[in-house]
Amino acid sequence: MADRIADPWGERTPYGPGEPWPVRVDLHLADGLSEHEVDRWARSASILHSNGDAMDIAVKDGRIAGVRGHAADRVNRGRLDPKDLYGWQANNSRDRLTRPLVREGGRLVETDWDTAMNRIVDRSRQLLGSPGGWGRFGFYTSGQLFLEEYYTLGVLGKAGIGTPHMDGNTRLCTATAAAALKASFGTDGQPGSYADVDHCDAIALWGHNVAETQTVLWMRMLDRRHGTDPPAMLAVDPRPTPVAREADVHLAVRAGTNLALVNGLLRQIIRNGWYDEEYVTAHTTGFDELCRIVDGYPPDRVAGICDVRAADVERAAELLGTSRRLLSTVLQGFYQSNQATASACAVNNLHLVRGMLGRPGAGVLQMNGQPSAQNTRETGADGDLPGMRNWDNPQHIQELAELWNVDPAVIPHWSPPTHAMQIWRYAEQGSIELLWISATNPAVSLPDLARIRRILTQPELFVVAQDLYLTETAELADVVLPAATWGEKTGTFTNADRTVHLSEQAVDPPGAARSDLDVFLDYARRMDFRDRDGGPLIGWAGPEEAFEAWKRCSAGRPCDYTGLTYAKLREGSGIPWPCTDDAPDGTERLYGDGRFNTDPDYCETYGQDLSTGAEFTAAQYRAKEPAGRAFLHAADYQPSSEVPSDDYPMLLTTGRTVHQFHTRTKTGRAPELNAAAPDVWVEIHPDDAARHGVTDGDRVTITSPRGGIRVRARTTGIRPGVVFVPFHYGYFDLPGDRRTPRAANELTATAWDPVSRQPIFKITAVRLEKEH
Ligand SMILES: Nc1nc2c(c(=O)[nH]1)N[C@H]1C(S)=C(S)[C@@H](COP(=O)(O)OP(=O)(O)OC[C@H]3O[C@@H](n4cnc5c(=O)[nH]c(N)nc54)[C@H](O)[C@@H]3O)O[C@H]1N2
Ligand SMILES: Nc1nc2c(c(=O)[nH]1)N[C@H]1C(S)=C(S)[C@@H](COP(=O)(O)OP(=O)(O)OC[C@H]3O[C@@H](n4cnc5c(=O)[nH]c(N)nc54)[C@H](O)[C@@H]3O)O[C@H]1N2
Ligand SMILES: [Mo]
């Protein structure tokens, strides 16, 4: 097989418009093992990004020994990416947590499950014993557990404890995708499909380095680019990413100026008559206001704000405006940047005015990043209610109360659910006293790490960490619970184009590690949560029963799973929701009929002001009379508050590299991946490097008002004035080693988008110095 570390995308299999994407089955097995020696294959999908690459897990002598792509799957037709191929080795790492740990006299010591769980239960009971005790709990979960686990957590938090303080690291990841989908279309739910790549004649990638982050989706795009009638391509990214290099038009915008750019593109499209007047009239509301606002963004002004050429803005507008089937993808260059939700909505606007939704090749993918972020959102384990229900709609609360057989007053709905950044603030202030962290490593991934470490070590805060390894976060916890993970437990998860996959248990977890589902069920049992009739609040005992319970919750909502079963998910390909009796094979695209989920009784939110985030009331929303039309939300560009100054003259942006995943707990334990990108670096333009007396490989210090890191310089074609640091590399390499602070988040600021409340990881003013 080709060296997929050196060539992440592998061989091309070109195809033309409307043709099926050819199959190419990728495989990687442990050294010396051949396919026919494998004892057993277990069905699964990738857990190292949101693409949902379907695969079988190879089992040999009771251990995971490799993976093979699934030829029949709609998502990948057999292909796997480098993390998929090599990442499974982390499961077998010798430093997995195998027993619970509790803090004794300042140190973490091994113990049994009863002792660890009883500590959590004792503390919980004590907090619940005082008035308003529910307000003292905070749950910070993930985009990497399974649907069944989130739903269970959601129910125990909302109907067991009754706390609004529950969110996922999805707040850092796809909160803006959710916010923009709700704002434009009425509810969360991806309009487009990966199959749109097969049909489109233009692809626009908005702040999305898909080549390195959804590698298999990029293979599909590249295969179209190598076939007959290839789609045109536009990339918007300050860096010369592989995507930017492939694109026909690359707009290397100044970080933080996305909204000015998309407004400018909309202006050109409208002025040149490249919009679909009939579609706009029949299916949208807000066009006049949109025209008024975008009119203020002629190409010259956009060129000035974004620091790109006016002619390139016009070329990009023509590419978008004259395409007949346009596919857009949007990700962190928009979601974690200035005016995140407004910018993501602006891309929705572009598709709405051009009528580019709901038919083959015409779609927008407001991407997810994590493998199961979609499920965190659907099940209400983030700042939402289960089944994409509206916290401010009493009828929706009533539905949940009936489903769970509890008093509606128990379910928190007097204000919006608390978002993660506020949960951490409450913990800092001391009003949250128990913080339960599952499957996320905030001591590396949240902004301003010095502050996060300070919060985690506050003596009054009781911290539970549920993980596979003793991470930077787990090290600071009071109780550490050893979790089983992918391959060691069964459950479902849903990718960025709504495709649901089943992931089956292949092997036993190490030592006493337990699935997150078992941990949450055990807690609910010990806490003795009851329904209105005195029966157990949570009536399920395993994943399949949890899935059946979730199906009832999803019935009639946009994410309707009622037509799915585990048996059906074992058959051929993954299946995109909604899947019902009427649509037993799932649904490729949403909104084909131009009717959106904006009806006041159905929508997920009554909306927010895009500039301030202020919530609208039901009455204000009804007055807009959406009647199934989509909203064209327009907003003016406002410069980021993080601007270069004399002390901090450069802009830092952060992100990913193809070989590492997040805080590297898995990819750092896979030898091939780790060797490919073992340490942090900074990407810098040669002119900026020269000004600082820096050459390739030199050690530099980067400083912001919050901290400093030491990294090696790498000169690239990044735009001048901007430097890029991958955020993967934690504070220390080995537990206890604190010599070399190197995490990008030592530098980033506690600041977030007013609408989605997603942190702004992509713009930080910094200073660079060469180390002598
Ligand atoms: N290899 C790998 N793949 C992954 C992950 C991983 O850790 N490693 N993580 C997964 C997850 S959870 C996520 S969320 C996705 C993220 O996937 P992406 O969003 O593709 O990844 P990022 O590198 O965070 O950011 C994308 C690009 O945004 C650009 N950018 C920075 N600031 C701006 C700006 O102001 N405007 C514009 N237009 N662009 C800007 C950066 O230069 C960067 O190339 O990847 C998923 N896939
Ligand atoms: N500066 C900067 N910061 C960023 C970003 C950025 O672009 N720039 N991106 C943000 C984004 S988009 C994201 S998604 C976050 C990611 O940030 P994190 O969520 O903190 O990153 P991970 O390393 O994926 O952490 C997941 C943890 O869960 C554990 N784990 C894995 N599987 C399981 C399981 O089955 N059960 C349990 N209990 N634990 C498990 C892993 O060992 C790991 O410790 O980072 C955010 N932070
Ligand atoms: Mo993410």
Side-chain angles (χ1 to χ4, degrees):
M1 197 182 73
D3 176 1
R4 293 289 304 284
I5 294 290
D7 173 14
W9 308 293
E11 240 174 86
R12 294 282 55 76
T13 50
Y15 70 123
E19 294 169 10
W21 189 26
V23 166
R24 181 191 95 191
V25 175
D26 295 346
L27 165 88
H28 177 68
L29 296 174
D31 267 353
L33 187 68
S34 70
E35 231 174 317
H36 68 266
E37 291 167 331
V38 170
D39 295 339
R40 205 156 67 67
W41 298 90
R43 173 175 283 266
S44 186
S46 173
I47 199 84
L48 295 172
H49 48 72
S50 61
N51 211 52
D53 303 339
M55 58 168 83
D56 290 324
I57 304 174
V59 181
K60 179 73 185 171
D61 299 331
R63 279 162 70 89
I64 297 182
V67 290
R68 182 180 62 197
H70 228 262
D73 201 88
R74 67 189 295 274
V75 166
N76 57 325
R77 307 266 161 87
R79 289 161 192 77
L80 295 177
D81 91 349
K83 292 191 274 68
D84 303 343
L85 287 167
Y86 300 102
W88 53 268
Q89 298 170 91
N91 279 55
N92 300 333
S93 172
R94 271 203 295 270
D95 64 345
R96 284 285 301 273
L97 293 169
T98 55
R99 297 187 63 194
L101 308 173
V102 290
R103 197 164 288 283
E104 291 286 357
R107 294 187 46 239
L108 284 172
V109 295
E110 289 196 344
T111 187
D112 53 46
W113 276 98
D114 266 339
T115 309
M117 290 306 287
N118 284 339
R119 281 216 186 173
I120 305 173
V121 168
D122 288 349
R123 182 62 171 234
S124 301
R125 287 239 168 81
Q126 184 198 341
L127 295 176
L128 278 178
S130 60
W134 46 261
R136 311 217 161 262
F137 290 76
F139 291 89
Y140 184 53
T141 189
S142 183
Q144 298 174 42
L145 299 180
F146 292 160
L147 181 152
E148 295 77 0
E149 299 175 321
Y150 297 132
Y151 184 55
T152 304
L153 178 64
V155 178
L156 81 79
K158 285 167 179 63
I161 293 169
T163 183
H165 310 324
M166 179 182 291
D167 200 355
N169 66 355
T170 47
R171 185 64 56 185
L172 322 181
C173 184
T174 60
T176 303
L181 292 170
K182 289 184 219 176
S184 298
F185 309 129
T187 64
D188 196 347
Q190 196 67 263
S193 157
Y194 288 170
D196 289 331
V197 176
D198 309 348
H199 302 277
C200 64
D201 65 3
I203 303 178
L205 300 133
W206 308 94
H208 184 192
N209 183 12
V210 57
E212 299 197 61
T213 58
Q214 274 84 15
T215 318
V216 169
L217 181 58
W218 180 241
M219 295 174 200
R220 197 165 185 159
M221 295 175 180
L222 276 186
D223 285 347
R224 274 297 316 278
R225 294 276 291 180
H226 282 72
T228 52
D229 289 326
M233 189 174 277
L234 165 71
V236 182
D237 194 307
R239 292 191 304 144
T241 60
V243 174
R245 288 197 295 271
E246 172 71 21
D248 304 300
V249 181
H250 172 208
L251 295 170
V253 294
R254 182 181 275 143
T257 61
N258 296 319
L259 185 56
L261 175 71
V262 189
N263 278 349
L265 295 170
L266 275 162
R267 176 184 182 275
Q268 292 308 102
I269 284 168
I270 293 169
R271 287 225 163 186
N272 286 302
W274 290 326
Y275 69 100
D276 183 339
E277 197 172 344
E278 230 170 275
Y279 191 93
V280 167
T281 312
H283 303 300
T284 72
T285 167
F287 188 63
D288 292 344
E289 174 68 0
L290 177 73
C291 290
R292 192 184 65 75
I293 297 218
V294 302
D295 214 42
Y297 296 84
D300 284 347
R301 178 164 181 238
V302 172
I305 295 172
C306 304
D307 193 21
V308 293
R309 290 197 314 224
D312 286 342
V313 176
E314 293 180 52
R315 277 176 68 211
E318 186 173 349
L319 184 156
L320 299 165
T322 58
S323 66
R324 298 210 326 254
R325 285 181 294 276
L326 171 67
L327 173 64
S328 279
T329 74
V330 191
L331 202 46
Q332 300 307 357
F334 271 49
Y335 299 167
Q336 296 174 339
S337 193
N338 183 36
Q339 297 184 285
T341 309
S343 306
C345 282
V347 176
N348 292 342
N349 292 345
L350 204 154
H351 279 260
L352 285 166
V353 301
R354 294 223 58 228
M356 289 287 175
L357 282 172
R359 54 191 168 83
V364 63
L365 293 166
Q366 296 283 353
M367 290 296 296
N368 297 340
Q370 292 176 90
S372 62
Q374 187 62 47
N375 308 109
T376 320
R377 275 146 58 184
E378 293 161 7
T379 58
D382 71 340
D384 282 310
L385 288 177
M388 303 182 175
R389 289 180 171 83
N390 181 351
W391 66 268
D392 206 9
N393 182 334
Q395 185 54 39
H396 288 192
I397 302 296
Q398 185 61 36
E399 285 168 20
L400 289 176
E402 278 164 26
L403 183 71
W404 297 336
N405 191 25
V406 297
D407 183 344
V410 174
I411 304 170
H413 64 281
W414 52 92
S415 64
T418 316
H419 61 89
M421 301 309 286
Q422 191 63 38
I423 291 176
W424 284 88
R425 179 72 183 136
Y426 287 154
E428 182 172 40
Q429 291 170 324
S431 72
I432 283 180
E433 294 179 65
L434 189 162
L435 184 60
W436 190 329
I437 299 166
S438 45
T440 179
N441 189 8
V444 181
S445 57
L446 278 175
D448 192 358
L449 292 181
R451 169 175 177 256
I452 298 305
R453 286 190 292 270
R454 228 164 30 238
I455 296 172
L456 286 170
T457 49
Q458 275 171 197
E460 314 77 49
L461 182 67
F462 184 82
V463 177
V464 181
Q466 194 164 309
D467 206 292
L468 318 181
Y469 311 100
L470 194 63
T471 61
E472 290 86 343
T473 303
E475 259 214 336
L476 304 177
D478 297 289
V479 175
V480 179
L481 302 177
T485 187
W486 174 92
E488 301 160 356
K489 61 184 183 182
T490 294
T492 54
F493 55 103
T494 306
N495 80 344
D497 88 336
R498 291 175 279 102
T499 304
V500 185
H501 287 112
L502 175 67
S503 181
E504 307 228 52
Q505 178 170 359
V507 298
D508 288 332
R514 277 191 189 173
S515 77
D516 298 272
L517 180 64
D518 283 346
V519 174
F520 295 141
L521 288 173
D522 185 27
Y523 177 70
R525 202 169 45 240
R526 287 173 198 260
M527 289 297 289
D528 200 26
F529 294 130
R530 298 270 156 187
D531 69 12
R532 205 154 27 182
D533 298 324
L537 172 68
I538 293 174
W540 51 91
E544 192 159 4
E545 286 174 23
F547 186 74
E548 291 299 318
W550 159 249
K551 280 163 61 178
R552 290 191 288 280
C553 183
S554 75
R557 296 299 298 164
C559 51
D560 195 321
Y561 281 67
T562 49
L564 290 172
T565 58
Y566 272 25
K568 200 161 164 179
L569 290 169
R570 281 190 191 107
E571 278 165 20
S573 169
I575 299 172
W577 62 245
C579 179
T580 59
D581 288 346
D582 295 339
D585 300 324
T587 308
E588 187 96 82
R589 297 175 186 82
L590 304 185
Y591 311 129
D593 57 359
R595 282 198 61 81
F596 296 90
N597 294 336
T598 49
D599 184 276
D601 299 323
Y602 194 75
C603 68
E604 193 175 355
T605 170
Y606 295 135
Q608 286 163 273
D609 183 290
L610 276 201
S611 302
T612 64
E615 314 266 346
F616 295 131
T617 62
Q620 283 171 312
Y621 185 84
R622 282 181 191 279
K624 294 179 185 154
E625 298 181 356
R629 290 175 298 170
F631 292 105
L632 293 165
H633 286 293
D636 268 307
Y637 164 73
Q638 284 161 351
S640 159
S641 54
E642 260 319 279
V643 285
S645 63
D646 289 349
D647 285 344
Y648 303 102
M650 307 283 288
L651 276 189
L652 165 77
T653 194
T654 62
R656 294 162 166 77
T657 191
V658 67
H659 298 113
Q660 297 288 3
F661 181 65
H662 293 172
T663 73
R664 285 167 62 253
T665 65
K666 287 189 173 173
T667 50
R669 287 175 172 84
E672 297 85 353
L673 296 169
N674 195 48
D679 200 1
V680 68
W681 70 90
V682 58
E683 292 174 20
I684 181 168
H685 189 273
D687 294 351
D688 290 326
R691 262 195 311 118
H692 289 85
V694 170
T695 51
D696 256 324
D698 281 352
R699 262 201 181 283
V700 296
T701 309
I702 311 179
T703 317
S704 86
R706 289 153 299 275
I709 59 173
R710 298 171 61 204
V711 300
R712 289 208 186 271
R714 191 182 283 182
T715 54
T716 72
I718 191 170
R719 51 165 304 129
V722 175
V723 293
F724 171 88
V725 176
F727 85 101
H728 305 296
Y729 301 88
Y731 192 70
F732 52 84
D733 223 3
L734 301 164
D737 173 8
R738 290 197 161 67
R739 282 165 305 188
T740 316
R742 57 174 183 168
N745 283 322
E746 303 289 346
L747 307 172
T748 50
T750 306
W752 57 81
D753 181 66
V755 185
S756 66
R757 280 94 190 206
Q758 182 160 349
I760 304 174
F761 288 115
K762 296 287 191 252
I763 329 165
T764 310
V766 296
R767 175 173 70 233
L768 228 94
E769 280 144 316
K770 180 178 168 162
E771 254 182 45
H772 294 287

